[in-house]
Structure formats: structure tokens, C-alpha cells
Amino acid sequence: GQQLNQSPQSMFIQEGEDVSMNCTSSSIFNTWLWYKQDPGEGPVLLIALYKAGELTSNGRLTAQFGITRKDSFLNISASIPSDVGIYFCAVSKQGGSEKLVFGKGTKLTVNP
Amino acid sequence: NAGVMQNPRHLVRRRGQEARLRCSPMKGHSHVYWYRQLPEEGLKFMVYLQKENIIDESGMPKERFSAEFPKEGPSILRIQQVVRGDSAAYFCASSPKEGYGYTFGSGTRLTVV
């Protein structure tokens, strides 16, 4: 089946540091999504990317859709304690309205 | 504006019993999706439904699992004769129509003992 390789698996950083995580695939996808999941909750959409090469920001978050349509990265600048959680990339072939394939997640820990 | 409501939040079943998980989509949303998440894993797609129709069930196990989204009432994911391997978090999501992203509920955590 389709697989996403998400890295790193976990990160331990100090408050104020910048964070970068990425996701790669062997297949082409037309939509890349980044979600955050807090413990005991469902994933919440952070950023959606629909065009190859697109760079999109949402506050301290920036994500890019790779030009080959096979990868994406998410950056978090000036991390704060509430950034703690698991970050997932997800892809779909269309606009994100049908089934999504998720990566295994990057677990972020921020030390105050 | 209530989000996607799932209940129960936690469900404990003995092996061999049935589990029924409910999902009420956001108001105005007619598309529902079910995903399963094992510990330390990402979410895995199970089934996509519209009102009274199953659109894509390619992620559903062939036996014991079924899903419905009736004209009235919530969507139901039903697992018959549960086994320990069914223990997981089950998430529902809804969207207003094709081409839009969707919103997840808080999940039902099923534990089979």
C-alpha cells in the first residue's frame, strides 16, 4: 500500500528553538496536509497544500509542497510549550475530500 | 457550532462482544469518514460514507466490521465479536461536500479485555 516516510520520529527541543520535520513518498500526490494531535484528541488541520512548490504559512508554522509532489516539510519557528504534540503529514490524490494516507508522526517535546 | 461528536469516548468490551461506535457529523456535513489509530501509529482509513451510501470501504476488514450512515441519526461503526487486536482509537471525520477538507472528532478509545 501507499506509505509516507515521516522524520524524525521524535524531537526534544528547548523553548524558543525552531523545528523542522519532513515527509516523503514514492508516489505523487496532489494534496499534502499537516495535522497536530494532542493526547486524547483527534488530529487538527494546521496547513493544507494544493500546488506543487507552494509555500504556506500559518502563524509560526510554514509548510512547503515539494516541486516533485513527493515530499513536504513543516517548520515551526520560536517553539513554545503548547507546541508539544504529535505532528502528522497526510496526503490525498484529490482535494483532500476522500481517503487520506497518514505518516507515522513526529512526536515533539518542548522543554521550557 | 458543535464539532464532530463521537461517543462513547471510551469503550471496554470483552472478547466476543459487539462494539458500536457513534459519530454525529458537523451540522450541514453529509460526508463521513472513519479511521483507526493503533498506539504509536498514524491514522489508517477505514470507510467513507455519504447519507445512506458507502462510497469507499477499501480500508475495512472483510469480516466483523460494518458501517452505516442512515438518513436520520449518527453514523455507526459496528464491530462484531471483538478481539484484542481491535483495541485502538477510532476517529470519525466529516466534510460538507467533495473537494473540501474535513474535521475530526475526538475519537472513541476501544479496549478489548
Side-chain angles (χ1 to χ4, degrees):
Chain A
Q2 295 157 346
Q3 277 197 326
L4 294 182
N5 295 311
Q6 189 171 349
S7 64
Q9 199 172 356
S10 60
M11 301 183 78
F12 297 83
I13 62 170
Q14 293 296 125
E15 184 178 355
E17 287 183 0
D18 297 344
V19 169
S20 186
M21 58 193 80
N22 67 77
C23 212
T24 61
S25 167
S26 56
S27 302
I28 288 173
F29 291 98
N30 293 322
T31 300
W32 284 77
L33 307 164
W34 285 94
Y35 285 86
K36 182 188 179 210
Q37 186 177 29
D38 291 326
E41 295 297 327
V44 174
L45 181 65
L46 299 174
I47 292 182
L49 301 155
Y50 300 107
K51 271 166 74 168
E54 181 182 0
L55 183 72
T56 298
S57 292
N58 178 8
R60 294 178 297 106
L61 277 59
T62 302
Q64 182 153 34
F65 186 163
I67 199 76
T68 63
R69 289 189 284 162
K70 291 184 177 181
D71 64 309
S72 176
F73 70 74
L74 175 71
N75 287 343
I76 306 172
S77 61
S79 58
I80 59 178
S82 62
D83 290 334
V84 164
I86 303 178
Y87 291 80
F88 291 100
C89 60
V91 293
S92 77
K93 296 225 163 177
Q94 295 181 15
S97 63
E98 25 67 274
K99 67 182 176 188
L100 300 182
V101 175
F102 280 81
K104 291 196 171 185
T106 294
K107 186 172 182 179
L108 179 64
T109 302
V110 180
N111 296 316
Chain B
N1 222 0
V4 177
M5 304 300 292
Q6 287 188 251
N7 65 81
R9 287 295 302 269
H10 299 275
L11 182 62
V12 179
R13 284 286 176 267
R14 295 188 185 282
R15 278 179 295 170
Q17 290 185 321
E18 178 179 287
R20 277 184 178 242
L21 288 61
R22 290 175 201 77
C23 169
S24 295
M26 289 181 70
K27 190 175 179 182
H29 286 196
S30 57
H31 298 230
V32 164
Y33 313 78
W34 285 93
Y35 285 77
R36 175 164 62 178
Q37 185 178 33
L38 295 170
E40 311 296 321
E41 295 281 326
L43 281 72
K44 296 258 191 311
F45 170 80
M46 298 181 77
V47 62
Y48 164 30
L49 310 104
Q50 294 178 27
K51 284 283 187 185
E52 300 183 279
N53 287 308
I54 296 175
I55 307 301
D56 181 348
E57 57 181 348
S58 57
M60 286 279 270
K62 294 286 183 271
E63 296 176 353
R64 303 188 296 109
F65 284 71
S66 62
E68 61 177 13
F69 188 17
K71 190 175 177 183
E72 303 289 339
S75 175
I76 306 284
L77 179 68
R78 183 178 173 214
I79 311 172
Q80 295 177 289
Q81 298 174 319
V82 295
V83 301
R84 287 232 169 96
D86 296 333
S87 295
Y90 292 83
F91 290 96
C92 167
S94 72
S95 73
K97 57 183 178 180
E98 294 265 351
Y100 281 72
Y102 42 76
T103 303
F104 282 91
S106 296
T108 293
R109 276 135 194 92
L110 172 67
T111 303
V112 179
V113 297

